[in-house]
Amino acid sequence: MRRGHATGRGGARPARGFLSVGVRRRRRQHLGAPRSAPAGLGLAMSAKQGGRQRRPGSHPHCLEAPAPLGAGPAGGEAEALLLPPPPPELGPAAPRGCRAELGSVLLLLALYVLQGVPLGLAGSVPLILQSRSASYTEQAFFSLVFWPFSLKLLWAPLVDAVYVRRFGRRKSWLVPTQYVLGLFMIGLSRRVDALLGDGQGRGPDVVALTATFFLFEFLAATQDIAVDGWALTMLSRENVGYASTCNSVGQTAGYFLGNVLFLALESPSFCNKYLRFQPQPRGIVTLSDFLFFWGAVFLVTTTLVALLKKENKELTPTKEETKGITDTYKLLFSIIKMPAVLTFCLLILTAKVGFSAADAVTGLKLVEEGVPKEHLALLAVPMVPVQIILPLIISKYTAGPQPLNTFYKAMPFRLLFGLEFAFLVWWTPKVKHEGGFPVYYYVIVLLSYALHQVTLYSMYVAIMAFNAKVSDPLIGGTYMTLLNTVSNLGGNWPSTVALWLVDPLTVKECAGAQGQACGTPAAAELCTKAGGSCVTTLDGYYVESVICVILGFAWWFLFGPKLKKLQDEGQSSWKCKRTN
């Protein structure tokens, strides 16, 4: 068995707002390796790097027999960021330019593009379900699909620790996982149309869709762990910073392909208006076509990686953070038991309740009111530069000793956007006309989203800065992983609950049939059979929006000062006592 340094990732994902509804903490994440951040970034990161979690160190248990006696330590892939110092007689190692490792950079970029595609595809499904009249209870159930990326901490130590020495530490997981993903996508392409329903009487099978895409996202999260680990050792010390660029650019491109491009090409109206001379009833591609194509791409790419790319065996192990898998989980438990950490976790798990209706439901409501889902997806494109620049600006205000002050100041403004979004949904059907929506409507939607992003990123960057500030540097990887996992879960569970509550809070009446009601799906069916129709008299989204804002301001008044007070805790309150 071999010991190695398991280097992980850090970074809680920011919520994306209603223009990327359903993309629950997808996507772009930070390589929390011990390297310096770009100038001006400070402790903050680009939102594209927001959700990748740093993995704790672990004890790699090899699946092969130990190397023969006298084989020496060079028989496997021990990983570290720093090369060993050269012998004095050889002088300092010559730096390697980026061009010398261009192949590795392009491979990392391709792997991150592949990683973004499943996230984008899963993020497009809620919009498709909404266009096929799925209930909000069903949307809440499907939102569980986005949890695996927030729970990677549970199995990341295993991916770091168990591998086949001869094949490679990261390839032992990357290759089989991507093969399974490719075969899974090809198999899913044959059934996904039936699972989505035909939209004309046969509704979507949400339970089967959720189970299928949950496994889909679990595999993608596992691939993510392996790629992140390999990214830190594939490049030399001088060029390891390019791994973060590959991460951000690759996942952004992959998500765009799997979400925005797919929704545009899948839409008959978009294709007929912009891409065809003769209108047709279907888009250029279907979800089935898209899955089959990318499944084939996964299989071909994985085969090339398995045959042609070898892992770097020149690196030597550094001091490991923990001694084994069991020790990793014990360490996590000991961290969370500390009073300061426990208080922070409880506060951050409840801090985002006030934003849940605005972030999770607004986009689906706009689709329900007639906004084309492909237009909603395309509106997110001009926001990409804004989402890159905002963290750079905000980090100037969070780099000091009290970053949570920015979090506290931004929170009431973000809560007020919940009411503004509710007004936007109410106003939407009033400006709709036969040709769709006027240009000024989309300008107002885009402006609202842009201003909302300022408050969102102010809170996100502040939390990231605080997590980096208090993490014990001796066990920084494990510590940051835990804090960022809690931050991610603090956004996931309120979104799921918010979606689930929309239907129970909605009040409907049966119009045109006396003695009938619409309180349950069965009652609504009886109303329709009796010649009536269910009419919404009170939309649960508006009720929920007001309740969320009230709860959010209550949290801000009662618990906001307690969160700020954590900044006054001494460094000893955050240091974990370890037994070596």
Side-chain angles (χ1 to χ4, degrees):
M1 296 190 298
R2 299 186 52 81
R3 292 180 184 272
H5 179 69
T7 310
R9 266 44 56 211
R13 295 180 303 273
R16 285 302 182 188
F18 61 85
L19 288 189
S20 52
V21 61
V23 190
R24 240 37 99 201
R25 330 315 176 204
R26 52 193 194 255
R27 20 202 228 298
R28 310 174 229 169
Q29 304 165 335
H30 169 66
L31 293 171
R35 66 173 182 276
S36 58
L41 190 55
L43 294 175
M45 302 178 305
S46 164
K48 303 297 175 299
Q49 303 162 330
R52 203 63 47 90
Q53 299 169 346
R54 182 178 172 94
R55 293 193 304 281
S58 55
H59 178 179
H61 295 277
C62 228
L63 294 182
E64 290 188 357
L69 196 59
E77 293 77 28
E79 299 188 21
L81 285 180
L82 301 179
L83 291 169
E89 63 272 12
L90 296 180
R96 302 176 66 183
C98 178
R99 289 188 178 181
E101 297 185 298
L102 183 60
S104 295
V105 171
L106 293 177
L107 174 59
L108 274 180
L109 186 63
L111 291 175
Y112 279 120
V113 169
L114 292 181
Q115 188 179 114
V117 170
L119 299 173
L121 285 172
S124 68
V125 173
L127 296 176
I128 297 175
L129 292 177
Q130 192 68 11
S131 66
R132 302 194 180 190
S133 303
S135 69
Y136 285 95
T137 303
E138 292 173 324
Q139 291 279 13
F141 190 70
F142 187 82
S143 71
L144 296 174
V145 162
F146 305 102
W147 285 55
F149 267 82
S150 294
L151 299 173
K152 291 183 299 182
L153 173 63
L154 298 179
W155 69 93
L158 296 175
V159 178
D160 265 338
V162 180
Y163 65 97
V164 179
R165 179 184 291 122
R166 289 184 181 177
F167 193 50
R169 182 176 181 184
R170 301 306 175 185
K171 286 171 65 177
S172 295
W173 287 91
L174 177 69
V175 170
T177 300
Q178 288 199 168
Y179 269 132
V180 174
L181 265 170
L183 294 172
F184 189 84
M185 293 172 83
I186 292 174
L188 182 59
S189 69
R190 304 180 64 179
R191 295 208 54 207
V192 69
D193 289 337
L195 295 177
L196 286 171
D198 54 15
Q200 300 174 351
R202 185 167 59 86
D205 187 347
V206 176
V207 174
L209 277 172
T210 302
T212 301
F213 275 89
F214 186 90
L215 180 58
F216 192 34
E217 293 300 286
F218 172 81
L219 291 169
T222 304
Q223 186 253 19
D224 165 50
I225 298 168
V227 174
D228 280 351
W230 199 4
L232 299 178
T233 58
M234 189 182 294
L235 303 178
S236 65
R237 175 182 58 185
E238 294 82 7
N239 296 321
V240 73
Y242 287 104
S244 180
T245 304
C246 293
N247 184 325
S248 179
V249 175
Q251 271 209 349
T252 301
Y255 183 82
F256 179 87
L257 292 172
N259 187 276
V260 179
L261 181 64
F262 163 68
L263 288 173
L265 296 180
E266 186 264 349
S267 168
S269 60
F270 182 89
C271 294
N272 291 337
K273 186 175 182 179
Y274 298 106
L275 303 176
R276 286 178 175 148
F277 295 106
Q278 295 293 331
Q280 295 183 22
R282 297 177 62 182
I284 293 177
V285 301
T286 64
L287 183 54
S288 176
D289 300 330
F290 215 71
L291 284 168
F292 185 87
F293 171 79
W294 283 106
V297 171
F298 264 83
L299 294 179
V300 172
T301 305
T302 306
T303 301
L304 293 176
V305 170
L307 296 177
L308 303 179
K309 183 64 178 178
K310 297 187 181 300
E311 294 193 33
N312 190 348
K313 297 185 179 182
E314 298 176 357
L315 301 177
T316 58
T318 61
K319 182 179 179 181
E320 55 193 333
E321 289 183 343
T322 58
K323 295 182 179 179
I325 298 175
T326 304
D327 188 46
T328 297
Y329 292 114
K330 287 181 180 178
L331 179 59
L332 291 171
F333 186 66
S334 64
I335 293 172
I336 205 168
K337 284 195 304 182
M338 293 189 295
V341 175
L342 184 59
T343 301
F344 174 78
C345 290
L346 292 175
L347 289 174
I348 213 65
L349 279 172
T350 55
K352 299 176 185 177
V353 170
F355 319 127
S356 55
D359 290 345
V361 189
T362 301
L364 298 177
K365 274 294 174 184
L366 291 177
V367 173
E368 182 182 323
E369 296 295 348
V371 180
K373 59 184 183 297
E374 63 276 9
H375 290 179
L376 209 57
L378 287 170
L379 281 177
V381 175
M383 292 306 303
V384 171
V386 177
Q387 292 169 344
I388 294 174
I389 295 171
L390 272 176
L392 301 177
I393 298 174
I394 296 168
S395 63
K396 297 178 182 179
Y397 302 95
T398 60
Q402 294 189 318
L404 292 182
N405 289 354
T406 302
F407 181 98
Y408 184 77
K409 291 175 182 177
M411 187 171 182
F413 295 100
R414 185 176 172 187
L415 288 169
L416 291 175
F417 271 105
L419 297 179
E420 196 268 343
F421 287 168
F423 174 79
L424 188 65
V425 172
W426 173 83
W427 181 58
T428 296
K430 296 179 174 15
V431 296
K432 184 180 180 181
H433 52 72
E434 270 190 36
F437 292 89
V439 174
Y440 70 82
Y441 170 79
Y442 289 110
V443 171
I444 292 175
V445 171
L446 192 61
L447 182 61
S448 298
Y449 183 56
L451 294 175
H452 174 257
Q453 292 292 286
V454 176
T455 62
L456 185 153
Y457 278 82
S458 296
M459 298 179 66
Y460 158 69
V461 173
I463 286 293
M464 283 301 304
F466 180 76
N467 288 353
K469 173 177 174 284
V470 302
S471 293
D472 187 341
L474 294 179
I475 48 173
T478 304
Y479 213 116
M480 282 289 288
T481 301
L482 177 63
L483 295 182
N484 292 325
T485 297
V486 172
S487 297
N488 292 336
L489 290 177
N492 278 348
W493 78 261
S495 296
T496 298
V497 173
L499 287 165
W500 180 78
L501 284 175
V502 172
D503 285 338
L505 292 174
T506 299
V507 178
K508 293 183 179 181
E509 293 181 353
C510 182
Q514 293 184 350
Q516 301 294 330
C518 293
T520 63
E525 187 176 348
L526 290 175
C527 171
T528 304
K529 288 181 178 179
S533 61
C534 291
V535 178
T536 300
T537 56
L538 180 62
D539 195 323
Y541 167 68
Y542 301 115
V543 178
E544 190 175 279
S545 295
V546 173
I547 291 174
C548 283
V549 171
I550 292 173
L551 290 176
F553 273 106
W555 190 99
W556 186 67
F557 279 114
L558 297 176
F559 300 111
K562 295 182 185 296
L563 183 68
K564 288 204 305 178
K565 194 175 180 182
L566 289 174
Q567 298 174 121
D568 301 327
E569 294 280 350
Q571 198 65 32
S572 60
S573 301
W574 304 96
K575 284 190 177 179
C576 180
K577 294 181 176 147
R578 301 180 62 207
T579 55
N580 295 321

